[in-house]
Amino acid sequence: MLTQLEQQIMKFYTEQQESFKILQVTMDDVKTILDERLPVGNSLSPSRAPIPTNSAIFHGRDALVMELVNVITGPLNKNICLFGPGGMGKTSTSLAVMGHPDVKAKYESHLRVWVPCVKATSASLFLDTLKSSLAISKDTGDTRGAIIRVLQTSPPIIILLDNFETPWDADGARSDVEQILRDIHAIKHVTLLITTRSSPPPCDDIPWYSKNIHGVDMDSAQEIYLAHYPEGIHDPDLSHLLELVSYMPLAIKLLAKVAKSIHLSAAELIKEYNVSGTSMLGQGLDAKSSMDISIGLSVYSEPIKANSEAFKLLCILSMLPTGTSFSMLSKWWAHGLSQL
């Protein structure tokens, strides 16, 4: 009786195993058919999120925008690195480049990709952000491979890696992020435009067309201020106020908003700025609406935290508003720092 029961159980088990094998083969066949008929992630379809519209208040960068447009649309197809301190307008300048008619003529809408890297605090998050921006929906378990395959089979495409300092300076991510950049750079029809607070540009073996962005000129600074606060047009101290913040677009915008909200003259703003410093420039929750947050992204970045003397040096430099020479710095002001 027991032997007969065992035989029945074994027969049932064998039949079930055969059924599972047939089912697996059928599922594999279905998967193969779907893979052949559906493109990987449909990544370059027009359903991808559009590039943000740039601010209508944009002054002092026309020459720079045209210079970068000519590089992108020229025969050499160079990668571009736009770097400089926070608040100088790297993002707005790069968005103006991406939205320029000459760039639009070369790259259709779905071939101009904006990748916001500000929250990509690791190599894996950087890959996920890139994948999302490319609208790669299919999960293959190999994010990097999926991205590279999509880019390899795409038409010529331009990718804006905005706020690239976040993944580049992330703790322990540098080597992985470097390799991702090299993999993308190896695809000749892909053009990279990156904005970053870090310098020099990433990856020594990638040739970059590099531009260090500075403050705008006086006339443009006045245009920015008056666009936000037209009542200041006849203020005799306006030029002094704008010089005080080194013609930095973000600082100018935030000063104008303070002036508009509580009706302060330029002289009153100068007095308040000398007392309160950058704390008076916005109480927002992000770097676009608060000068202190914008500065903090640089001051408390990973490269600064990794060097115990870097913060001390910044403190010393903050006490020298008119600047100094390296020889004076090493001889007098910061002679106690070993890694100057």
Side-chain angles (χ1 to χ4, degrees), residues 163 168 216 237 252:
N163 294 113
W168 182 249
V216 298
D237 298 301
I252 295 167

Side-chain angles (χ1 to χ4, degrees), residues 67-92:
E67 179 183 349
L68 300 183
V69 167
N70 288 336
V71 172
I72 290 170
T73 58
L76 297 180
N77 196 34
K78 291 184 177 178
N79 298 308
I80 295 174
C81 177
L82 184 62
F83 65 94
M88 285 299 179
K90 298 182 294 296
T91 294
S92 57

Side-chain angles (χ1 to χ4, degrees), residues 284-305:
L285 299 177
D286 58 29
K288 293 182 179 180
S289 54
S290 169
M291 201 67 223
D292 276 355
I293 292 176
S294 179
I295 293 171
L297 290 175
S298 295
V299 172
Y300 301 110
S301 64
E302 290 300 327
I304 297 295
K305 291 190 288 186

